[in-house]
Amino acid sequence: MTKHVLYHELSTMRGDVRAFLDQPKKHFIGGDFVDGASGETFWTEDPGLEIVLADVQSGNQSDVDAAVEAARRAFEGEWTAMVPAARAACMFKLADLIYENLDQLAELEGLDTGKPAHVAKALELPFAAEVFRYYGGWATKVRGSTLDLSLNPEKFHAYTRSEPVGVVAGIIPWNFPLAQAAFKIAPALAVGCTAVLKPAEQTPLTALRLAELVVEAGFPAGTINVVTGYGHTAGAALAAHPGVDKVTFTGSTETGRRIIAAAGASNLKRLTLELGGKSPLIIFADADMERAIPTAAAAIFGNAGQVCNAGSRLYVEASAYDRVVEGVVEIGRNMQLGCALDGSSEIGPLMSKTQLDRVTSMVDAARGEGVSVLCGGGREGEKGHFYAPTVLTGMDTASKIATEEIFGPVLCAMSFDDEEAVLAEANRTNYGLAASIWTENAGRAHRMAAGVKAGAVWINSFGVFDPNLPFGGFKESGWGREFGPEGMAAFIETKAVSMHIGG
Ligand code: ADP
């Protein structure tokens, strides 16, 4: 099969997935599915089988203008006019619909990203539904406060109002497409904002299916809009748009910088940015190795390492180093790589040829610098962008491979002698998204948690995600937090009202 074989060849595909793929793919603007202004399309493919799944609209400035206008109309109209309980009901219904369509969504997500559909079904898609539920719950609990002025001798009735920031653009990456859509839209909707969602060009399909569910859930037209696009065109148009009040973005630090520049050059729109990472996973010799070793492997190989918070730097106390690294290598060697609809597959391919080339060149360059490859270290198979789970050792801790994000199943294993030294190493990066610490010594665990510069610290665990648990980065890993009330606050403008009442 070549890249241009279409999905019809795939006999194991569900009927409802095939039916969805058979429909023409359009933008979702103002409650309608519409063709793009340019008439141009691009194709999205399964990176495992390298088969084309759909032709998708290549959104441009006109499409973005139309979507922003539709979102503005809903913001100044029907969505804002609805009582919070009715807005919450739409969000709950959308969560229910994700559950009702879980199998179809999982298969669609699997095909578009290459990841095992059964993994998407078990993990990220229920989480997406729960994020809509969680923030649906918050929709009826948005509050201001009354307060006393501290200096003014006259009497004032002073209070704050929590008002929605306005039209929000959600610009999302390709690693967890539907979940990322939920992370961006749900807190915005909860406080009364409306949204334009721009999925990544590699993975537009579940956002378009979500748009159909949005109609079914009864959201007023224009509350949620979806514009698909190729390259940076649609995303850049949103970031620079004077009608967009806030951008919430997950993606590379480099693109994050462009969005900051675009926001600065336009209307100083508010930003939440969840960017890259190079997260340390630190194992002390006293750790529970039965749990620590498989978790360390899952932390880097899960989703083929295409996770912003992947545990990509493994630090092991010297006396336990061989045992831990051998254990992780063993797991890596035995990991089952496969395509999305293969039930035995544990991890899928990398997202694209670009991604495969990037990972390959970083590992090859490290090898050239004398780094040892303990397992993997190259492409797997001839079709699909598969890269073997890889463990590297012997690198300079300040080298590129040890400090830059790889976004592939590539682990840098390093040893350390004491707490102080490993803390300095862990913090020796421009990123600060997450850190995982393994020790049975509670005092040390909390000293490390306080010392590590990262937005999320997981002790004797990894990747603890919950709609109520704030997540976001220190340093160049981002601005702001997602999830929890903090995630919602990022969509609120606080208005302070002071009324003179005499005295
Ligand atoms: P990657 O390089 O891994 O594709 P990006 O950070 O570039 O990651 O992409 C994340 C999202 O940002 C995608 O939806 C992409 O289309 C979008 N994007 C890319 N360039 C820009 C830009 N200049 N402004 C706004 N969004 C962009």
Side-chain angles (χ1 to χ4, degrees):
M1 275 197 287
T2 72
K3 197 165 265 193
H4 298 285
V5 173
L6 286 164
Y7 61 89
H8 299 102
E9 302 286 317
L10 204 58
S11 59
T12 52
M13 182 185 287
R14 289 171 60 88
D16 54 4
V17 172
R18 187 180 302 273
F20 175 78
L21 294 178
D22 281 342
Q23 296 163 24
K25 298 287 162 285
K26 303 187 176 201
H27 300 307
F28 178 60
I29 298 177
D32 293 318
F33 288 91
V34 297
D35 285 324
S38 71
E40 285 170 22
T41 59
F42 63 97
W43 42 260
T44 179
E45 69 168 36
D46 173 333
L49 296 164
E50 295 190 52
I51 55 173
V52 173
L53 297 168
D55 270 322
V56 179
Q57 301 292 326
S58 194
N60 64 12
Q61 182 73 49
S62 308
D63 302 313
V64 165
D65 287 345
V68 172
E69 255 174 57
R72 177 65 57 190
R73 273 196 304 279
F75 181 67
E76 284 168 4
E78 246 190 300
W79 181 243
T80 311
M82 279 167 83
V83 293
R87 293 203 300 254
C90 289
M91 296 177 71
F92 293 144
K93 177 73 181 162
L94 186 56
D96 291 347
L97 287 169
I98 292 174
Y99 277 119
E100 281 169 32
N101 292 276
L102 205 57
D103 287 304
Q104 184 204 26
L105 286 166
E107 196 163 305
L108 209 50
E109 196 77 301
L111 290 169
D112 214 11
T113 58
K115 71 177 69 184
H118 66 91
V119 174
K121 182 181 170 186
L123 298 177
E124 65 205 67
L125 299 186
F127 190 64
E130 291 302 334
V131 168
F132 279 113
R133 277 203 182 143
Y134 173 82
Y135 280 117
W138 268 111
T140 50
K141 295 160 195 75
V142 178
R143 289 175 157 189
S145 58
T146 59
L147 49 108
D148 294 331
L149 301 185
S150 62
L151 286 178
N152 206 306
E154 296 186 60
K155 290 220 170 353
F156 278 85
H157 169 50
Y159 62 96
T160 61
R161 289 174 45 77
S162 293
E163 297 188 359
V165 67
V167 172
V168 170
I171 303 176
I172 58 173
W174 40 258
N175 54 352
F176 297 98
L178 188 80
Q180 287 287 353
F183 303 167
K184 302 298 176 256
I185 298 173
L189 296 174
V191 300
C193 294
T194 57
V196 179
L197 181 70
K198 211 296 284 172
E201 72 197 49
Q202 297 87 345
T203 56
L205 295 179
T206 47
L208 294 174
R209 178 66 185 122
L210 184 71
E212 295 180 345
L213 301 181
V214 161
V215 175
E216 216 178 319
F219 284 90
T223 306
I224 299 164
N225 306 272
V226 180
V227 175
T228 54
Y230 186 77
H232 65 272
T233 310
L238 282 166
H241 206 294
V244 171
D245 300 298
K246 172 172 175 114
V247 168
T248 171
F249 168 78
T250 294
S252 61
T253 295
E254 204 185 326
T255 301
R257 288 186 203 284
R258 292 201 188 98
I259 291 174
I260 293 168
S266 56
N267 58 346
L268 292 184
K269 51 181 66 65
R270 279 71 180 121
L271 300 176
T272 297
L273 305 171
E274 204 265 82
L275 308 175
K278 188 80 177 175
S279 299
L281 192 146
I282 300 164
I283 302 181
F284 287 90
D286 67 341
D288 173 0
M289 296 299 177
E290 297 300 312
R291 291 181 58 248
I293 293 171
T295 307
I300 185 62
F301 302 142
N303 214 48
Q306 302 172 118
V307 185
C308 48
N309 59 272
S312 50
R313 291 185 290 150
L314 173 66
Y315 295 97
V316 189
E317 192 166 359
S319 61
Y321 182 80
D322 288 346
R323 176 180 173 198
V324 171
V325 173
E326 276 163 25
V328 173
V329 165
E330 180 69 12
I331 294 169
R333 282 205 179 108
N334 290 307
M335 214 130 202
Q336 190 70 38
L337 273 62
C339 289
L341 305 191
D342 175 352
S344 64
S345 152
E346 291 174 292
I347 55 172
L350 297 177
M351 184 67 241
S352 59
K353 167 98 172 40
T354 312
Q355 200 57 23
L356 177 64
D357 289 346
R358 179 185 147 77
V359 173
T360 305
S361 78
M362 283 184 85
V363 173
D364 289 352
R367 204 187 250 127
E369 287 165 12
V371 167
S372 306
V373 180
L374 301 180
C375 66
R379 186 179 178 188
E380 186 108 338
E382 282 169 12
K383 192 161 59 137
H385 313 303
F386 291 94
Y387 197 88
T390 298
V391 178
L392 307 176
T393 192
M395 67 281 303
D396 178 341
T397 54
S399 64
K400 187 171 167 179
I401 199 83
T403 54
E404 286 191 13
E405 187 171 44
I406 304 173
F407 229 62
V410 180
L411 180 66
C412 292
M414 294 164 271
S415 73
F416 67 88
D417 293 319
D418 62 53
E419 195 179 313
E420 203 182 327
V422 74
L423 191 56
E425 284 303 327
N427 287 335
R428 199 221 288 240
T429 158
N430 294 333
Y431 293 118
L433 196 52
S436 168
I437 296 159
W438 292 77
T439 178
E440 293 297 296
N441 178 329
R444 179 160 64 190
H446 293 295
R447 280 195 302 277
M448 290 292 293
V452 74
K453 296 200 184 329
V457 179
W458 298 307
I459 299 173
N460 296 336
S461 56
F462 181 85
V464 184
F465 281 92
D466 187 280
N468 203 27
L469 191 63
F471 179 77
F474 281 30
K475 302 195 275 185
E476 292 178 20
S477 287
W479 287 357
R481 295 291 176 270
E482 295 193 288
F483 309 132
E486 289 86 348
M488 196 176 68
F491 295 87
I492 288 174
E493 290 283 15
T494 299
K495 182 180 281 175
V497 182
S498 313
M499 182 184 178
H500 186 254
I501 54 170

